Amino acid sequence: MRWLAWVALAAPSLAMAAAPEQLCPGQWVTPGADGRVLGHIPYREAPYSELVSAPAGFALGQPCYVQRDVAPDLARMLAAAAATPGIGNSLRGVSCYRTIEHQRAVFCSQIGPRKRCHDAAERARTVGPPGHSEHATGYAIDFGLRPTGGCGDVSPCLARTAAGQWLIAHAPEYGFELSFPAGNAQGVTWEPWHWRWVGATLATPGAARARLLFARARSEFPATPQIRDVADGWIGVIRPATPAPAPAVPPAVRPYLQSHPQSYFIQPLPTPTPQPSPLYRKTPRG
């Protein structure tokens, strides 16, 4: 039954006339006929019940939660990197799971006078709009380095470091692929730090579910490096359903996750026990 539910989630939704959506105060955008907003594919928010903590010591000062199917491969990949001369324990988690409301705060925080971006369209070049970020799924991770070696977080210079080159060469062995390569057709900037998990093979536990979720992204906007497994070619023809539009007026943007706001796509979820501490303290990109 759970498998059927995920097939239903990935099946095409009935076509509906797109209504303007307010992403931030003063920033209205009409989704495209395909459900994308400013180039970004819609994604639902994963419930806390599906998430687990990343390996100890991986997160940078704030908790890092990922889908439980991701955790074994992430742990194996970090162990392999740690055993590699010149890499060690330098790979760390800058940003993992984000709620949709947290994503709204990240997206809107740098739009306006004297801010980094003039409008939502400019901001969407580097940050997914709320409801359209892979981070909400629990399968995406932004990697960083400690010590930084002169390369700050969420910066293209990661690809020139030994650890970044190791990721490009070996991350697919552990089920990760680079979501936004250089020159991608979505119009998103090159993000060598942003990787999504889809399983190294279709036989990997949880891989079919992840690949259904990212079927559209993988078929229309391929990752590079990309995990190539001909066994799951049929998944590429299934299009994820377009989530319901956001409320006409979003709630006021709060400081990052002083509480745990809920998605507007799903019913409120029970607070986990023990309740996680605030997930993020600074504004990431991606």
Side-chain angles (χ1 to χ4, degrees), residues 190-214:
W190 177 41
E191 296 189 354
W193 59 87
H194 180 106
W195 296 75
R196 65 179 175 234
W197 183 91
V198 295
T201 71
L202 190 58
T204 304
R209 175 181 173 180
R211 294 182 187 199
L212 276 169
L213 185 62
F214 295 117

Side-chain angles (χ1 to χ4, degrees), residues 8-19 32-35 42 44 216 239-245:
L9 174 65
S13 59
L14 295 177
M16 294 185 297
D34 61 357
R44 287 178 170 85
R216 181 178 179 191
R239 300 294 181 85
T242 301

Side-chain angles (χ1 to χ4, degrees), residues 10 13 32-37 39-43 132 134 177 186 196 210-223 226 235-243:
S13 59
D34 61 357
R36 287 195 295 150
V37 166
H40 292 265
I41 296 170
Y43 293 104
H132 296 75
E134 293 183 349
E177 56 184 21
Q186 285 182 260
R196 65 179 175 234
R211 294 182 187 199
L212 276 169
L213 185 62
F214 295 117
R216 181 178 179 191
R218 301 186 78 219
S219 62
E220 296 184 17
F221 310 104
Q226 178 186 35
I235 295 180
V237 303
I238 300 178
R239 300 294 181 85
T242 301

Side-chain angles (χ1 to χ4, degrees), residues 54-286:
F58 176 64
L60 287 175
Q62 68 283 322
C64 170
Y65 297 102
V66 295
Q67 287 277 351
R68 66 179 67 254
D69 293 323
V70 177
D73 274 346
L74 176 60
R76 290 194 310 112
M77 186 173 75
L78 294 176
T84 302
I87 308 297
N89 292 309
S90 60
L91 280 174
R92 305 289 292 278
V94 175
S95 184
C96 304
Y97 168 75
R98 302 178 199 158
T99 64
I100 289 177
E101 284 307 311
H102 179 209
Q103 189 71 22
R104 188 186 304 281
V106 170
F107 185 84
C108 298
S109 65
Q110 293 298 321
I111 296 176
R114 297 182 297 277
K115 296 292 184 67
R116 186 177 300 163
C117 300
H118 174 70
D119 56 20
E122 184 178 359
R123 184 62 168 155
R125 292 272 300 160
T126 56
V127 179
H132 296 75
S133 171
E134 293 183 349
H135 285 286
T137 69
Y139 289 105
I141 298 175
D142 288 347
F143 289 90
L145 302 178
R146 290 298 184 276
T148 62
C151 180
D153 295 335
V154 295
S155 172
C157 62
L158 177 67
R160 298 194 297 270
T161 67
Q165 292 175 7
W166 187 92
L167 276 175
I168 292 172
H170 297 286
E173 299 169 15
Y174 302 93
F176 291 90
E177 56 184 21
L178 188 65
S179 299
F180 304 112
N184 62 84
Q186 285 182 260
V188 181
T189 54
W190 177 41
E191 296 189 354
W193 59 87
H194 180 106
W195 296 75
R196 65 179 175 234
W197 183 91
V198 295
T201 71
L202 190 58
T204 304
R209 175 181 173 180
R211 294 182 187 199
L212 276 169
L213 185 62
F214 295 117
R216 181 178 179 191
R218 301 186 78 219
S219 62
E220 296 184 17
F221 310 104
T224 303
Q226 178 186 35
I227 295 173
R228 302 182 185 279
D229 183 353
V230 295
D232 70 340
W234 62 273
I235 295 180
V237 303
I238 300 178
R239 300 294 181 85
T242 301
V249 180
V253 174
R254 297 185 296 274
Y256 299 159
L257 294 191
Q258 290 179 346
S259 60
H260 293 290
Q262 304 295 334
S263 163
Y264 48 72
F265 297 145
I266 60 177
Q267 295 299 314
L269 296 164
T271 301
T273 304
Q275 181 175 348
S277 58
L279 300 185
Y280 296 91
R281 296 192 179 100
K282 65 179 183 178
T283 303
R285 296 172 61 193

